[in-house]
Each structure stands twice: as C-alpha cells, then as structure tokens.
Amino acid sequence: MKIKEGFRMRTLGRDHIVVAEGLQLVNFNKMIVLNDTATYLWNEIQGKEFTAETLKGLLISRYDVCEDVAAADVAKLVKDLTEAGIIEE
C-alpha cells in the first residue's frame, strides 16, 4: 500500500487533517481527521510502501499495546483511508 500522490496532512490548531492538494482529488463528502496515533503512523509511512503488518509493528514498538489491539486499530485505519481514496494497493 501507499498514500496516493497529492494527499498531505495539515495541522489546524490541535487537529491533524488529511487534505488533497488538487481539486480533482477532493472528496468533500468525507474529511479525515487523524488522532495522535494515526498521525504518528502517517508520518512514519509517508512516501513509503507499507503493509498492515508494517503499521502493526510500528504501533507495537511505540505504544504499550498487544498484537490483537494493534491489528484491530490498523484494520480500521486502513479501511477508513481506503474508503476515502487516500491509499492505494
């Protein structure tokens, strides 16, 4: 997987929001706001190929979380980003 070209994370106050930099990419029906954990993952994978296992490993190495919880969190994040058209396989 990889974050599609043209998507960037911007910080507005305390919120981290994923935005498209070209009007052809914008889907105004869904805005993605990242929590601190998702922001950490975004920063680690931006510009790189990654897998769900990569993301799970990053969560486990940074936070005190078991594999099952990390896998569930990663599955939700990947689903949300895929549905919003932000990542590609």
Side-chain angles (χ1 to χ4, degrees):
M1 290 178 267
K2 189 171 184 174
I3 297 170
K4 288 182 180 177
E5 282 294 317
F7 286 97
R8 303 286 180 257
M9 182 184 61
R10 300 285 184 232
T11 302
L12 299 172
R14 287 190 254 166
D15 292 327
H16 305 285
I17 301 170
V18 175
V19 296
E21 293 192 329
L23 288 179
Q24 70 276 11
L25 298 174
V26 177
N27 176 356
F28 289 105
N29 295 323
K30 186 162 188 170
M31 179 183 290
I32 299 292
V33 178
L34 303 178
N35 64 21
D36 290 339
T37 304
T39 298
Y40 161 71
L41 292 175
W42 181 278
N43 287 329
E44 291 295 313
I45 63 170
Q46 189 159 5
K48 302 174 188 172
E49 294 281 334
F50 62 92
T51 65
E53 285 296 313
T54 304
L55 297 175
K56 185 175 89 172
L58 288 167
L59 285 181
I60 291 169
S61 68
R62 170 119 180 182
Y63 300 100
D64 184 23
V65 63
C66 70
E67 278 192 48
D68 291 341
V69 171
D73 289 350
V74 164
K76 179 167 180 2
L77 178 64
V78 168
K79 179 180 177 277
D80 290 347
L81 294 177
T82 300
E83 287 177 357
I86 295 171
I87 58 175
E88 58 191 1
E89 303 254 353

Coordinates of all heavy atoms in Angstrom, one line a residue:
M1 N 0.8 -1.2 0.0 CA 0.0 0.0 0.0 C 0.9 1.2 0.0 O 2.0 1.2 0.4 CB -0.9 0.0 1.2 CG -2.0 -1.0 1.3 SD -2.9 -0.9 2.8 CE -2.0 -2.1 3.8
K2 N 0.3 2.3 -0.4 CA 1.0 3.6 -0.4 C 0.0 4.8 -0.4 O -1.1 4.6 -0.9 CB 1.8 3.7 -1.7 CG 2.8 4.9 -1.6 CD 3.7 4.9 -2.8 CE 4.7 6.0 -2.7 NZ 5.8 6.0 -3.6
I3 N 0.3 5.8 0.3 CA -0.5 7.0 0.3 C -0.5 7.6 -1.1 O 0.6 7.8 -1.7 CB 0.0 8.1 1.3 CG1 -0.1 7.5 2.7 CG2 -0.8 9.4 1.2 CD1 0.6 8.4 3.8
K4 N -1.6 7.9 -1.7 CA -1.7 8.4 -3.1 C -1.0 9.8 -3.1 O -1.1 10.6 -2.2 CB -3.1 8.6 -3.5 CG -3.8 7.3 -3.8 CD -5.2 7.5 -4.3 CE -5.9 6.2 -4.6 NZ -7.3 6.5 -5.1
E5 N -0.5 10.1 -4.3 CA 0.1 11.4 -4.5 C -0.9 12.5 -4.3 O -2.1 12.3 -4.7 CB 0.7 11.5 -5.9 CG 2.0 10.8 -6.1 CD 3.1 11.5 -5.3 OE1 3.2 12.7 -5.3 OE2 3.9 10.7 -4.7
G6 N -0.5 13.6 -3.8 CA -1.4 14.8 -3.7 C -2.1 14.9 -2.3 O -2.7 15.9 -2.1
F7 N -2.0 13.9 -1.5 CA -2.6 13.9 -0.1 C -1.5 14.3 0.9 O -0.4 13.8 0.9 CB -3.2 12.6 0.3 CG -4.5 12.4 -0.5 CD1 -4.6 11.6 -1.6 CD2 -5.7 12.9 0.0 CE1 -5.7 11.3 -2.2 CE2 -6.9 12.7 -0.7 CZ -6.9 11.9 -1.8
R8 N -1.9 15.3 1.7 CA -0.9 15.8 2.7 C -1.7 15.9 4.0 O -2.9 16.1 4.1 CB -0.4 17.2 2.4 CG 0.3 17.2 1.0 CD 1.7 16.6 1.1 NE 2.3 16.6 -0.2 CZ 2.4 15.6 -1.1 NH1 1.9 14.5 -0.8 NH2 3.0 15.8 -2.2
M9 N -0.9 15.8 5.1 CA -1.5 16.0 6.4 C -1.2 17.5 6.8 O -0.1 17.9 6.7 CB -0.9 15.1 7.5 CG -1.6 15.3 8.9 SD -0.8 14.3 10.1 CE 0.9 14.9 10.1
R10 N -2.2 18.2 7.3 CA -2.1 19.6 7.7 C -2.5 19.6 9.2 O -3.4 18.9 9.6 CB -2.9 20.5 6.9 CG -2.6 20.5 5.4 CD -1.3 21.2 5.2 NE -1.0 21.3 3.8 CZ 0.1 20.9 3.2 NH1 1.1 20.4 3.9 NH2 0.3 21.0 1.9
T11 N -1.9 20.5 9.9 CA -2.3 20.7 11.3 C -3.0 22.0 11.4 O -2.5 23.1 11.0 CB -1.0 20.7 12.2 OG1 -0.3 19.5 12.1 CG2 -1.4 20.9 13.7
L12 N -4.2 22.0 12.0 CA -5.1 23.1 12.2 C -5.4 23.2 13.7 O -6.2 22.4 14.2 CB -6.4 23.1 11.4 CG -6.2 23.0 9.9 CD1 -7.6 22.8 9.2 CD2 -5.6 24.3 9.4
G13 N -4.7 24.0 14.4 CA -4.9 24.1 15.9 C -4.3 22.8 16.4 O -3.1 22.5 16.2
R14 N -5.1 22.0 17.1 CA -4.7 20.7 17.6 C -5.1 19.5 16.7 O -4.8 18.4 17.0 CB -5.2 20.5 19.0 CG -4.5 21.4 20.0 CD -4.9 21.0 21.4 NE -5.8 22.0 21.9 CZ -6.5 21.9 23.0 NH1 -6.5 20.8 23.7 NH2 -7.3 22.9 23.4
D15 N -5.8 19.8 15.6 CA -6.3 18.7 14.8 C -5.3 18.5 13.6 O -4.7 19.4 13.1 CB -7.6 19.1 14.2 CG -8.7 19.1 15.2 OD1 -8.7 18.3 16.2 OD2 -9.7 19.9 15.1
H16 N -5.2 17.2 13.2 CA -4.4 16.8 12.1 C -5.4 16.3 11.0 O -6.1 15.3 11.3 CB -3.4 15.7 12.5 CG -2.5 16.1 13.6 ND1 -1.5 17.0 13.5 CD2 -2.6 15.8 14.9 CE1 -0.9 17.1 14.7 NE2 -1.5 16.4 15.6
I17 N -5.4 17.0 9.9 CA -6.4 16.7 8.9 C -5.7 16.3 7.6 O -4.7 16.9 7.2 CB -7.3 17.9 8.6 CG1 -8.0 18.3 9.9 CG2 -8.3 17.7 7.5 CD1 -8.7 19.6 9.9
V18 N -6.2 15.3 6.9 CA -5.7 14.9 5.6 C -6.4 15.7 4.5 O -7.6 15.7 4.5 CB -5.8 13.3 5.4 CG1 -5.4 13.0 4.0 CG2 -5.0 12.6 6.4
V19 N -5.7 16.3 3.7 CA -6.3 17.1 2.6 C -5.6 16.8 1.3 O -4.5 16.3 1.2 CB -6.0 18.7 2.9 CG1 -6.7 19.1 4.1 CG2 -4.6 19.0 2.9
A20 N -6.4 17.0 0.2 CA -5.9 16.8 -1.1 C -5.4 18.1 -1.7 O -6.0 19.2 -1.4 CB -7.0 16.3 -2.0
E21 N -4.3 18.1 -2.4 CA -3.7 19.3 -2.9 C -4.2 19.7 -4.3 O -3.8 20.7 -4.8 CB -2.2 19.3 -2.8 CG -1.7 19.2 -1.4 CD -0.3 19.5 -1.3 OE1 0.5 19.1 -2.2 OE2 0.1 20.0 -0.3
G22 N -5.0 18.9 -4.9 CA -5.6 19.2 -6.3 C -7.1 19.0 -6.2 O -7.6 18.0 -5.7
L23 N -7.8 19.9 -6.9 CA -9.3 19.8 -6.8 C -9.8 18.5 -7.4 O -10.9 18.0 -6.9 CB -9.9 21.0 -7.6 CG -9.8 22.4 -6.9 CD1 -10.4 23.4 -7.8 CD2 -10.4 22.4 -5.5
Q24 N -9.1 17.9 -8.3 CA -9.6 16.6 -8.8 C -9.6 15.5 -7.8 O -10.3 14.5 -7.9 CB -8.8 16.2 -10.1 CG -7.4 15.8 -9.8 CD -6.4 17.0 -9.7 OE1 -6.8 18.1 -9.7 NE2 -5.1 16.6 -9.7
L25 N -8.8 15.7 -6.7 CA -8.7 14.7 -5.7 C -9.7 14.9 -4.6 O -9.9 14.0 -3.7 CB -7.3 14.7 -5.1 CG -6.1 14.3 -6.1 CD1 -4.8 14.5 -5.4 CD2 -6.3 12.9 -6.6
V26 N -10.3 16.0 -4.5 CA -11.1 16.4 -3.3 C -12.4 15.6 -3.3 O -13.1 15.6 -4.3 CB -11.3 17.9 -3.2 CG1 -12.2 18.2 -2.0 CG2 -10.0 18.6 -3.1
N27 N -12.7 15.0 -2.1 CA -14.0 14.4 -1.9 C -14.5 15.1 -0.7 O -14.2 14.9 0.4 CB -13.9 12.9 -1.6 CG -15.2 12.3 -1.2 OD1 -16.2 12.9 -1.1 ND2 -15.2 11.0 -1.1
F28 N -15.5 16.1 -0.9 CA -16.0 16.9 0.2 C -17.0 16.1 1.0 O -17.5 16.6 2.0 CB -16.6 18.2 -0.4 CG -15.6 19.1 -0.9 CD1 -15.4 19.3 -2.3 CD2 -14.8 19.8 -0.1 CE1 -14.4 20.1 -2.8 CE2 -13.8 20.7 -0.5 CZ -13.6 20.9 -1.9
N29 N -17.3 14.9 0.7 CA -18.3 14.1 1.5 C -17.6 13.5 2.7 O -18.3 13.1 3.6 CB -18.8 13.0 0.6 CG -19.7 13.5 -0.5 OD1 -20.4 14.5 -0.4 ND2 -19.6 12.9 -1.7
K30 N -16.3 13.4 2.7 CA -15.6 12.8 3.9 C -14.3 13.5 4.1 O -13.5 13.7 3.3 CB -15.4 11.3 3.5 CG -14.8 10.6 4.7 CD -15.0 9.1 4.5 CE -14.6 8.4 5.8 NZ -14.9 7.0 5.9
M31 N -14.2 13.9 5.4 CA -13.0 14.6 5.8 C -12.3 13.6 6.8 O -13.0 13.0 7.6 CB -13.2 15.9 6.5 CG -12.0 16.6 7.0 SD -12.3 18.1 7.9 CE -12.8 19.1 6.6
I32 N -11.0 13.5 6.7 CA -10.3 12.6 7.6 C -9.5 13.4 8.6 O -8.6 14.2 8.2 CB -9.3 11.7 6.8 CG1 -10.1 10.8 5.8 CG2 -8.5 10.8 7.7 CD1 -10.9 9.7 6.4
V33 N -9.8 13.2 9.8 CA -9.1 13.8 10.9 C -8.4 12.7 11.7 O -9.0 11.7 12.0 CB -10.1 14.6 11.9 CG1 -9.3 15.2 13.1 CG2 -10.9 15.6 11.2
L34 N -7.1 12.9 11.8 CA -6.2 11.8 12.4 C -6.0 12.1 13.9 O -5.8 13.2 14.3 CB -4.9 11.8 11.7 CG -4.9 11.6 10.2 CD1 -3.4 11.6 9.7 CD2 -5.5 10.2 9.9
N35 N -6.2 11.0 14.7 CA -5.8 11.2 16.1 C -4.3 11.1 16.2 O -3.6 10.9 15.2 CB -6.5 10.1 17.0 CG -6.1 8.7 16.6 OD1 -5.0 8.4 16.1 ND2 -6.9 7.7 17.0
D36 N -3.8 11.2 17.4 CA -2.3 11.2 17.6 C -1.6 10.0 17.1 O -0.5 10.0 16.5 CB -2.0 11.5 19.1 CG -2.3 12.9 19.5 OD1 -2.4 13.8 18.7 OD2 -2.4 13.1 20.8
T37 N -2.3 8.8 17.4 CA -1.7 7.6 16.9 C -1.6 7.5 15.4 O -0.6 7.1 14.8 CB -2.5 6.4 17.5 OG1 -2.5 6.5 18.9 CG2 -1.9 5.1 17.1
A38 N -2.7 7.8 14.8 CA -2.8 7.8 13.3 C -1.8 8.8 12.7 O -1.2 8.6 11.6 CB -4.2 8.0 12.8
T39 N -1.7 9.9 13.4 CA -0.7 11.0 12.9 C 0.7 10.4 13.0 O 1.5 10.6 12.0 CB -0.8 12.2 13.8 OG1 -2.1 12.8 13.6 CG2 0.2 13.3 13.4
Y40 N 1.0 9.7 14.0 CA 2.3 9.0 14.1 C 2.6 8.1 13.0 O 3.6 8.1 12.3 CB 2.5 8.3 15.5 CG 3.6 7.3 15.5 CD1 4.9 7.6 15.5 CD2 3.2 5.9 15.5 CE1 5.9 6.7 15.5 CE2 4.2 4.9 15.5 CZ 5.6 5.3 15.5 OH 6.5 4.4 15.5
L41 N 1.6 7.2 12.7 CA 1.7 6.3 11.6 C 1.8 7.0 10.3 O 2.6 6.6 9.4 CB 0.5 5.3 11.6 CG 0.4 4.3 12.8 CD1 -0.9 3.6 12.7 CD2 1.6 3.4 12.8
W42 N 1.0 8.0 10.0 CA 1.1 8.8 8.8 C 2.5 9.3 8.6 O 3.1 9.2 7.5 CB 0.1 9.9 8.8 CG 0.1 10.8 7.6 CD1 0.9 11.8 7.3 CD2 -0.8 10.7 6.5 NE1 0.6 12.3 6.1 CE2 -0.4 11.7 5.5 CE3 -1.9 9.9 6.2 CZ2 -1.1 11.9 4.4 CZ3 -2.6 10.1 5.0 CH2 -2.2 11.0 4.1
N43 N 3.1 9.9 9.6 CA 4.4 10.4 9.5 C 5.5 9.4 9.2 O 6.4 9.6 8.5 CB 4.8 11.2 10.7 CG 4.1 12.5 10.9 OD1 3.7 13.2 9.9 ND2 3.8 12.9 12.1
E44 N 5.3 8.2 9.7 CA 6.2 7.1 9.5 C 6.1 6.5 8.1 O 7.1 6.0 7.6 CB 6.0 6.0 10.6 CG 6.4 6.4 12.0 CD 7.8 6.6 12.1 OE1 8.7 5.8 11.7 OE2 8.2 7.7 12.7
I45 N 4.9 6.5 7.5 CA 4.8 5.8 6.2 C 4.7 6.7 5.0 O 4.8 6.3 3.9 CB 3.5 4.9 6.2 CG1 2.2 5.8 6.4 CG2 3.6 3.8 7.2 CD1 0.9 5.1 6.2
Q46 N 4.6 8.0 5.2 CA 4.5 9.0 4.1 C 5.7 8.8 3.1 O 6.8 8.8 3.5 CB 4.4 10.4 4.6 CG 4.1 11.3 3.5 CD 3.5 12.6 4.0 OE1 3.4 12.9 5.1 NE2 3.1 13.5 3.1
G47 N 5.3 8.6 1.9 CA 6.3 8.5 0.8 C 6.9 7.1 0.7 O 7.8 6.8 0.0
K48 N 6.4 6.1 1.5 CA 6.9 4.7 1.5 C 5.8 3.7 1.2 O 4.6 4.0 1.5 CB 7.5 4.4 2.9 CG 8.5 5.3 3.4 CD 8.9 5.0 4.8 CE 9.8 6.0 5.4 NZ 10.0 5.8 6.9
E49 N 6.2 2.6 0.7 CA 5.3 1.4 0.6 C 5.2 0.8 2.0 O 6.2 0.8 2.8 CB 5.9 0.4 -0.3 CG 6.0 0.8 -1.8 CD 4.7 0.7 -2.5 OE1 3.9 -0.1 -2.1 OE2 4.6 1.5 -3.5
F50 N 4.0 0.3 2.3 CA 3.8 -0.3 3.6 C 2.7 -1.3 3.5 O 2.0 -1.4 2.6 CB 3.4 0.8 4.7 CG 2.1 1.5 4.3 CD1 0.9 1.0 4.8 CD2 2.1 2.6 3.5 CE1 -0.3 1.7 4.5 CE2 0.9 3.3 3.2 CZ -0.3 2.8 3.7
T51 N 2.7 -2.1 4.6 CA 1.6 -3.2 4.7 C 0.9 -3.0 6.1 O 1.4 -2.2 6.9 CB 2.2 -4.6 4.7 OG1 3.1 -4.7 5.8 CG2 3.0 -4.8 3.4
A52 N -0.2 -3.7 6.2 CA -0.8 -3.7 7.5 C 0.1 -4.2 8.6 O 0.1 -3.7 9.7 CB -2.1 -4.5 7.5
E53 N 1.0 -5.2 8.3 CA 1.9 -5.7 9.2 C 3.0 -4.6 9.6 O 3.4 -4.5 10.8 CB 2.7 -6.9 8.7 CG 1.8 -8.2 8.7 CD 1.5 -8.6 10.1 OE1 2.3 -8.7 11.0 OE2 0.3 -8.9 10.3
T54 N 3.4 -3.8 8.7 CA 4.3 -2.7 9.0 C 3.6 -1.7 10.0 O 4.3 -1.4 11.0 CB 4.6 -1.9 7.7 OG1 5.1 -2.7 6.7 CG2 5.6 -0.7 8.0
L55 N 2.4 -1.4 9.7 CA 1.7 -0.5 10.6 C 1.5 -1.1 12.0 O 1.7 -0.4 13.1 CB 0.3 -0.1 10.1 CG 0.3 0.7 8.8 CD1 -1.1 0.8 8.2 CD2 1.0 2.0 8.9
K56 N 1.2 -2.4 12.1 CA 1.0 -3.1 13.3 C 2.3 -3.1 14.1 O 2.4 -2.8 15.3 CB 0.5 -4.5 13.1 CG 0.2 -5.2 14.4 CD -0.4 -6.6 14.1 CE 0.7 -7.6 13.9 NZ 0.3 -9.0 13.8
G57 N 3.4 -3.3 13.4 CA 4.7 -3.3 14.1 C 5.1 -2.0 14.6 O 5.7 -1.9 15.7
L58 N 4.8 -0.9 13.9 CA 5.0 0.4 14.4 C 4.2 0.7 15.6 O 4.8 1.3 16.6 CB 4.7 1.5 13.3 CG 5.6 1.5 12.1 CD1 5.0 2.3 11.0 CD2 7.0 2.1 12.5
L59 N 3.0 0.3 15.7 CA 2.2 0.5 16.9 C 2.7 -0.2 18.1 O 2.8 0.3 19.2 CB 0.7 0.1 16.6 CG -0.1 1.0 15.8 CD1 -1.5 0.4 15.7 CD2 -0.2 2.4 16.3
I60 N 3.1 -1.5 17.9 CA 3.6 -2.3 19.0 C 4.9 -1.7 19.5 O 5.1 -1.7 20.7 CB 3.7 -3.7 18.5 CG1 2.3 -4.3 18.3 CG2 4.5 -4.6 19.5 CD1 2.3 -5.7 17.6
S61 N 5.8 -1.3 18.6 CA 7.1 -0.8 19.0 C 7.0 0.6 19.7 O 7.8 0.9 20.6 CB 8.0 -0.7 17.8 OG 7.6 0.3 17.0
R62 N 6.0 1.4 19.4 CA 5.9 2.7 20.0 C 5.0 2.8 21.3 O 5.2 3.5 22.2 CB 5.3 3.7 19.0 CG 5.0 5.0 19.5 CD 5.8 6.1 18.9 NE 5.4 7.4 19.5 CZ 5.9 8.5 19.1 NH1 6.8 8.5 18.2 NH2 5.5 9.6 19.6
Y63 N 3.9 1.9 21.3 CA 2.9 2.0 22.3 C 2.8 0.7 23.1 O 3.2 -0.4 22.5 CB 1.5 2.4 21.7 CG 1.5 3.7 21.0 CD1 1.6 3.7 19.6 CD2 1.4 4.9 21.7 CE1 1.5 5.0 19.0 CE2 1.4 6.1 21.1 CZ 1.4 6.1 19.7 OH 1.4 7.3 19.0
D64 N 2.4 0.7 24.3 CA 2.2 -0.5 25.1 C 0.8 -1.1 24.7 O -0.2 -0.9 25.4 CB 2.2 -0.1 26.6 CG 2.1 -1.3 27.5 OD1 2.5 -2.5 27.0 OD2 1.7 -1.2 28.6
V65 N 0.8 -1.9 23.6 CA -0.4 -2.4 23.1 C -0.1 -3.8 22.6 O 1.0 -4.1 22.1 CB -0.9 -1.5 21.9 CG1 0.0 -1.5 20.8 CG2 -2.3 -2.0 21.5
C66 N -1.1 -4.7 22.8 CA -0.9 -6.1 22.3 C -1.2 -6.2 20.8 O -1.8 -5.3 20.2 CB -1.9 -7.0 23.1 SG -3.6 -6.9 22.8
E67 N -0.8 -7.4 20.3 CA -0.9 -7.6 18.8 C -2.4 -7.5 18.4 O -2.7 -6.9 17.3 CB -0.4 -8.9 18.4 CG 1.1 -8.9 18.2 CD 1.7 -10.1 17.6 OE1 1.1 -10.5 16.5 OE2 2.6 -10.7 18.1
D68 N -3.3 -8.0 19.1 CA -4.7 -8.0 18.7 C -5.3 -6.6 18.6 O -6.0 -6.3 17.7 CB -5.6 -8.9 19.7 CG -5.3 -10.4 19.6 OD1 -4.7 -10.8 18.5 OD2 -5.6 -11.1 20.5
V69 N -5.0 -5.8 19.6 CA -5.5 -4.4 19.6 C -4.8 -3.6 18.5 O -5.5 -2.9 17.8 CB -5.2 -3.8 21.0 CG1 -5.5 -2.3 20.9 CG2 -6.0 -4.4 22.1
A70 N -3.5 -3.8 18.3 CA -2.8 -3.1 17.2 C -3.4 -3.5 15.8 O -3.6 -2.7 15.0 CB -1.3 -3.4 17.3
A71 N -3.7 -4.8 15.7 CA -4.2 -5.3 14.4 C -5.6 -4.7 14.1 O -5.9 -4.3 13.0 CB -4.3 -6.8 14.4
A72 N -6.4 -4.7 15.2 CA -7.8 -4.1 15.0 C -7.7 -2.6 14.7 O -8.4 -2.1 13.8 CB -8.6 -4.3 16.3
D73 N -6.8 -1.9 15.3 CA -6.7 -0.4 15.1 C -6.2 -0.2 13.7 O -6.6 0.7 13.0 CB -5.7 0.2 16.1 CG -6.3 0.3 17.5 OD1 -7.5 0.1 17.6 OD2 -5.5 0.6 18.4
V74 N -5.2 -1.0 13.2 CA -4.7 -0.9 11.9 C -5.7 -1.2 10.8 O -5.9 -0.5 9.8 CB -3.4 -1.8 11.7 CG1 -3.1 -2.0 10.2 CG2 -2.2 -1.2 12.4
A75 N -6.5 -2.2 11.1 CA -7.6 -2.6 10.1 C -8.6 -1.5 9.9 O -9.0 -1.1 8.8 CB -8.3 -3.9 10.6
K76 N -8.9 -0.8 11.0 CA -9.9 0.3 10.9 C -9.2 1.5 10.2 O -9.9 2.1 9.3 CB -10.3 0.8 12.3 CG -11.3 1.9 12.2 CD -12.0 2.2 13.5 CE -12.9 3.4 13.5 NZ -13.1 4.1 12.2
L77 N -8.0 1.8 10.5 CA -7.3 2.9 9.8 C -7.2 2.7 8.3 O -7.5 3.5 7.5 CB -6.0 3.2 10.4 CG -5.1 4.3 9.8 CD1 -5.8 5.6 9.9 CD2 -3.7 4.3 10.4
V78 N -6.8 1.5 8.0 CA -6.6 1.1 6.5 C -8.0 1.2 5.8 O -8.1 1.7 4.7 CB -6.0 -0.3 6.4 CG1 -6.1 -0.8 4.9 CG2 -4.5 -0.2 6.8
K79 N -9.0 0.7 6.5 CA -10.4 0.7 5.9 C -10.8 2.2 5.7 O -11.3 2.5 4.6 CB -11.3 0.0 6.8 CG -12.8 0.0 6.4 CD -13.7 -0.7 7.4 CE -15.1 -0.7 7.0 NZ -15.8 0.6 7.4
D80 N -10.6 3.0 6.7 CA -11.1 4.4 6.6 C -10.3 5.1 5.4 O -10.9 5.9 4.6 CB -10.8 5.2 7.9 CG -11.8 4.7 9.0 OD1 -12.8 4.0 8.6 OD2 -11.6 5.1 10.1
L81 N -9.0 4.9 5.4 CA -8.2 5.6 4.4 C -8.5 5.1 3.0 O -8.5 5.8 2.0 CB -6.7 5.5 4.7 CG -6.2 6.2 6.0 CD1 -4.7 5.9 6.2 CD2 -6.4 7.7 5.9
T82 N -8.7 3.8 2.9 CA -9.1 3.2 1.6 C -10.4 3.7 1.1 O -10.6 4.1 -0.1 CB -9.1 1.7 1.7 OG1 -7.8 1.2 2.1 CG2 -9.4 1.0 0.3
E83 N -11.4 3.7 2.0 CA -12.7 4.2 1.6 C -12.7 5.7 1.2 O -13.5 6.1 0.3 CB -13.7 4.0 2.7 CG -14.1 2.6 2.9 CD -15.1 2.3 4.1 OE1 -15.4 3.3 4.9 OE2 -15.5 1.2 4.3
A84 N -11.8 6.5 1.8 CA -11.7 7.9 1.4 C -10.9 8.1 0.2 O -10.7 9.2 -0.3 CB -11.1 8.6 2.6
G85 N -10.3 7.0 -0.4 CA -9.5 7.1 -1.6 C -8.1 7.7 -1.3 O -7.5 8.2 -2.3
I86 N -7.6 7.5 -0.1 CA -6.3 8.2 0.2 C -5.1 7.2 0.0 O -4.0 7.6 -0.3 CB -6.3 8.7 1.7 CG1 -7.4 9.8 1.7 CG2 -5.0 9.1 2.2 CD1 -7.7 10.3 3.1
I87 N -5.4 5.9 0.2 CA -4.3 5.0 0.0 C -4.6 4.0 -1.2 O -5.8 3.8 -1.5 CB -3.9 4.1 1.2 CG1 -5.1 3.4 1.7 CG2 -3.3 5.0 2.3 CD1 -4.8 2.4 2.9
E88 N -3.6 3.5 -1.8 CA -3.8 2.6 -2.9 C -2.9 1.3 -2.7 O -1.9 1.4 -1.9 CB -3.4 3.2 -4.2 CG -1.9 3.8 -4.3 CD -1.7 4.6 -5.5 OE1 -2.6 4.9 -6.3 OE2 -0.5 5.1 -5.6
E89 N -3.3 0.3 -3.3 CA -2.6 -1.0 -3.1 C -1.4 -1.1 -4.0 O -1.3 -0.5 -5.0 CB -3.5 -2.2 -3.3 CG -4.7 -2.2 -2.5 CD -4.6 -3.1 -1.3 OE1 -3.7 -4.0 -1.3 OE2 -5.5 -3.1 -0.5

